[in-house]
């Protein structure tokens, strides 16, 4: 099994910088809604998530029939693979592992476009040349995980048009989009109606700090694909607590604004501090920082009861690459204190 961040069950009682969750924590309104949903769970959940879909459509300003809900974004990734059964795919490396894992389950050939350190792990113009006939599906994460770098709309539009021209579906993972300073400048959401080959992935996991409730959604104009997804999904995949929590979360606009402001300030402070410690950072725009330091750093930090995400198991990376979440100021101070002590030992 691919090892992710957030493994607090193996590494207990540690300060977790390995999972990229809103540092403000789960909103109280979401906790209350989930508890009310648990109390109502003697009944089956609505398999069509009707109230939640309507709320998401209003929030995203998209037609309700474009919305599909799942047990987290990862659930929808696997549904997409099963429903579309692509034969050949293109992924970024490094990138989120679940795309590859889901595609392998349907015997899809997976090709990789490798982001290069000499380019600062930014998406190069050569990527368009890698979009060739024969590709059935293309996955992009924007901002990318683990690098935190985002591709602006003009470049995304060229990619989307090229995918349409070669007959490929573009799956745009925007799960971290809300943490960007200008989310709309890095989103393809306005293109949904004009491009049925576009599927946008989003989740409540990161921005509302509710990964344990498992709730994600997709946006797509292709009704045939959405019907196939419904056939590929397990019944009642989104629980009553998750649906109620999602409804409550969508009302938390002030909470999201506070989180974005906090993340921006702390991200900039952490990147400067990491550079001062001799780490190489790459200009992350998300709620996490990707950096290069000495191999063995994550293991050494665990001895100080702190979890970093060791990125050496990402496709295209080697030992020495790490990712750290942006957390509350006092927690970030602890991270810097541990890194200062550990790097002095190295």
């Amino acid at each position: 099994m691919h090892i992710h961040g957030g493994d607090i069950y193996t590494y207990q009682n540690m300060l977790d910088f390995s999972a990229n969750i809103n540092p403000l924590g789960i909103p109280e309104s979401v906790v209350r809604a989930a508890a009310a949903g648990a109390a109502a769970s003697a009944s089956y959940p609505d398999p069509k998530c009707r109230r939640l879909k309507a709320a998401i459509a209003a929030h995203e300003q998209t037609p309700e029939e474009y919305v599909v809900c799942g047990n987290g974004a990862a659930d929808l990734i696997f549904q997409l693979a099963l429903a579309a059964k692509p034969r050949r795919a293109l992924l970024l490396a490094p990138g989120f592992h679940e795309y590859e894992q889901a595609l392998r389950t349907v015997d899809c050939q997976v090709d990789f476009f490798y982001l290069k350190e000499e380019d600062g792990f930014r998406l190069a113009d050569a990527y368009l040349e890698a979009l060739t006939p024969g590709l059935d599906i293309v996955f992009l994460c924007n901002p990318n995980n683990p690098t935190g770098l985002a591709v602006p709309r003009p470049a995304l539009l060229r990619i989307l048009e090229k995918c349409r021209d070669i007959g490929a579906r573009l799956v745009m993972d925007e799960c971290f989009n809300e943490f960007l300073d200008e989310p709309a400048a890095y989103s393809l959401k306005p293109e949904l109606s004009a491009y049925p080959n576009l599927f946008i992935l989003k989740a409540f996991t990161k921005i509302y700090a509710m990964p344990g409730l498992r709730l994600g959604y997709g946006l797509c104009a292709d009704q045939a694909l959405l019907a196939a997804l419904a056939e590929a999904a397990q019944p009642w995949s989104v629980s009553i607590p998750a649906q109620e929590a999602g409804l409550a979360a969508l009302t938390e606009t002030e909470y999201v604004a506070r989180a974005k402001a906090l993340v921006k300030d702390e991200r900039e402070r952490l990147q400067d501090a990491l550079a001062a410690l001799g780490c190489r950072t790459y200009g992350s725009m998300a709620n996490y920082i990707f950096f290069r330091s000495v191999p063995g750093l994550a293991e050494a930090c665990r001895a100080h009861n702190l979890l970093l995400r060791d990125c050496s198991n990402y496709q295209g990376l080697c030992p020495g690459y790490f990712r750290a979440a942006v957390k509350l100021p006092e927690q970030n101070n602890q991270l810097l204190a541990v890194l200062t002590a550990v790097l002095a030992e190295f």
Side-chain angles (χ1 to χ4, degrees):
M1 181 180 290
H2 185 85
I3 299 172
H4 290 276
D7 188 7
I8 59 171
Y9 305 99
T10 299
Y11 305 105
Q12 298 183 23
N13 303 314
M14 292 193 181
L15 181 55
D16 184 15
F17 278 85
S18 68
N20 312 316
I21 307 302
N22 189 323
L24 295 181
I26 186 167
E28 282 298 321
S29 67
V30 174
V31 174
R32 291 193 298 269
S41 291
S43 302
Y44 283 101
D46 177 5
K48 297 182 180 180
C49 299
R50 280 164 280 208
R51 290 171 58 231
L52 180 58
K53 280 185 182 179
I56 290 171
H59 178 76
E60 296 287 4
Q61 298 182 308
T62 59
E64 191 173 334
E65 60 268 24
Y66 286 13
V67 181
V68 58
C69 296
N71 187 239
D75 179 35
L76 292 170
I77 293 167
F78 279 81
Q79 286 183 35
L80 273 167
L82 185 58
K85 293 184 173 59
R87 295 160 297 172
R88 185 170 161 234
L90 181 66
L91 307 181
L92 289 187
F96 190 50
H97 175 70
E98 263 63 14
Y99 312 143
E100 179 185 0
Q101 184 182 358
L103 293 165
R104 299 287 189 198
T105 66
V106 294
D107 297 320
C108 179
Q109 175 187 328
V110 178
D111 299 337
F112 291 96
F113 183 88
Y114 287 89
L115 302 171
K116 299 178 181 178
E117 181 163 25
E118 54 263 37
D119 297 327
F121 290 102
R122 298 186 180 279
L123 192 64
D125 291 340
Y127 181 72
L128 281 174
E129 300 170 13
L131 299 172
T132 56
L135 285 171
D136 299 302
I137 196 165
V138 174
F139 280 82
L140 276 181
C141 187
N142 202 42
N144 188 41
N145 180 6
T147 65
L149 298 171
V151 180
R153 264 182 60 79
L156 292 177
L157 286 169
R158 291 193 292 271
I159 293 167
L160 179 58
E161 290 168 1
K162 184 70 178 289
C163 286
R164 180 191 59 189
D165 292 346
I166 65 173
R169 185 173 304 283
L170 175 61
V171 181
M172 181 63 61
D173 185 339
E174 295 187 0
C175 286
F176 291 101
N177 174 268
E178 289 92 342
F179 288 104
L180 297 173
D181 295 344
E182 299 179 69
Y186 300 91
S187 175
L188 283 175
K189 190 172 62 173
E191 316 308 321
L192 283 165
S193 296
Y195 291 86
N197 66 313
L198 173 63
F199 189 101
I200 294 178
L201 274 170
K202 302 198 78 170
F204 289 78
T205 300
K206 312 297 185 182
I207 192 64
Y208 298 111
M210 46 188 275
L213 282 165
R214 310 307 306 139
L215 182 60
Y217 60 98
L219 304 172
C220 184
D222 186 343
Q223 295 302 301
L225 175 67
L226 295 180
L229 283 174
E231 290 295 319
Q234 60 169 314
W236 311 294
S237 63
V238 184
S239 70
I240 293 176
Q243 292 188 41
E244 294 299 322
L247 288 165
L250 291 173
T251 69
E252 289 285 349
T253 53
E254 191 271 338
Y255 160 89
V256 171
R258 282 194 296 120
K260 284 181 61 172
L262 169 66
V263 164
K264 180 180 180 179
D265 290 345
E266 287 298 297
R267 181 181 64 231
E268 293 173 356
R269 181 171 77 92
L270 281 176
Q271 289 189 131
D272 289 344
L274 285 169
L277 287 172
C279 303
R280 181 175 180 183
T281 61
Y282 300 91
S284 171
M285 304 163 69
N287 62 322
Y288 48 90
I289 298 171
F290 178 61
F291 66 99
R292 189 167 192 177
S293 188
V294 292
L297 179 64
E299 182 179 358
C301 285
R302 288 200 298 272
H304 292 260
N305 295 315
L306 187 142
L307 287 180
L308 280 183
R309 174 65 160 94
D310 185 337
C311 293
S312 59
N313 66 342
Y314 275 89
Q315 183 79 232
L317 294 181
C318 61
Y321 289 97
F322 306 93
R323 192 191 67 202
V326 177
K327 298 177 79 68
L328 297 173
E330 57 270 26
Q331 295 170 320
N332 296 331
N333 290 340
Q334 289 179 261
L335 169 67
L336 294 175
V338 168
L339 290 177
T340 299
V342 167
L343 289 172
E345 294 171 9
F346 274 97

